[in-house]
Amino acid sequence: MERTFIAIKPDGVQRGLVGDVIKRFETKGFTLVGMKFMNVSKELAEKHYDVHKERPFFSGLVEFITSSPVVAMVWEGEGVVASARKIIGATNPLTAELGTIRGDFGVSIGRNLIHGSDAIETAKTEIALWFTPEELVTWQPVVNPWLYE
Ligand code: IDP
Ligand code: MG
């Protein structure tokens, strides 16, 4: 089953939006398979955002993501990678559609609340970077027959 890496960034935690964010993935029908509340090391932040290392916002982004705790999660379900990106919304919360997490809760690109893997391969890399295999819980929600035919 497909899995994706989701992180509620420091602004989402500080603004008390952890429950609201988790609820959107839960009520959609995705399955939580890993979750931890943690401070992010500079090393982890730099690896996670390695693809952006040449961008002007890189150092600010690393500073921000390490500034206060985050909620790191892995969610599972058919098509979860692309669907989670739709639930999250466009990178800039000001232009993100209403009904998305960023569209509903944010006003600036540097404080866009949440991270979600952008492709299946990226998700695999990010899950392996943030979680050990033992930290992931494989389980069968009893509602699955009511979610999938
Ligand atoms: P994504 O999170 O929607 O995948 P990316 O383009 O991968 O967006 O950028 C990663 C993160 O870097 C964004 O979520 C945002 O926090 C930050 N970021 C991207 N572009 C800018 C910018 O122009 N200024 C400040 N921060 C930015
Ligand atoms: Mg990205």
Side-chain angles (χ1 to χ4, degrees):
M1 187 69 99
E2 192 172 307
R3 290 176 170 179
T4 195
F5 173 69
I6 300 291
I8 305 174
K9 296 179 181 180
D11 51 335
V13 174
Q14 290 284 0
R15 292 181 52 208
L17 295 171
V18 169
D20 290 284
V21 168
I22 290 174
K23 190 152 192 65
R24 295 194 177 205
F25 293 97
E26 262 187 330
T27 52
K28 174 69 174 168
F30 292 129
T31 303
L32 183 65
V33 296
M35 178 161 69
K36 54 187 175 182
F37 186 55
M38 58 187 284
N39 284 306
V40 181
S41 68
K42 188 158 185 270
E43 186 192 6
L44 175 57
E46 285 175 348
K47 277 189 190 151
H48 175 74
Y49 282 123
D50 185 64
V51 66
H52 297 303
K53 65 174 178 283
E54 307 300 339
R55 308 282 283 277
F57 58 82
F58 179 74
S59 62
L61 183 57
V62 168
E63 198 175 315
F64 169 60
I65 210 81
T66 58
S67 66
S68 184
V70 308
V71 179
M73 296 177 282
V74 177
W75 288 87
E76 182 178 88
E78 281 181 19
V80 68
V81 173
S83 179
R85 294 282 292 189
K86 292 190 87 169
I87 291 167
I88 289 168
T91 305
N92 186 344
L94 267 191
T95 52
E97 294 291 335
L98 296 179
T100 67
I101 291 168
R102 288 169 173 168
D104 286 352
F105 297 130
V107 287
S108 84
I109 196 166
R111 298 288 183 269
N112 65 1
L113 299 151
I114 180 166
H115 168 84
S117 306
D118 63 7
I120 291 174
E121 279 312 304
T122 319
K124 287 181 184 157
T125 308
E126 292 178 350
I127 290 167
L129 178 64
W130 287 77
F131 286 87
T132 65
E134 301 75 43
E135 288 173 327
L136 300 177
V137 181
T138 299
W139 62 294
Q140 292 300 322
V142 294
V143 296
N144 273 2
W146 304 100
L147 288 165
Y148 296 101
E149 64 173 12

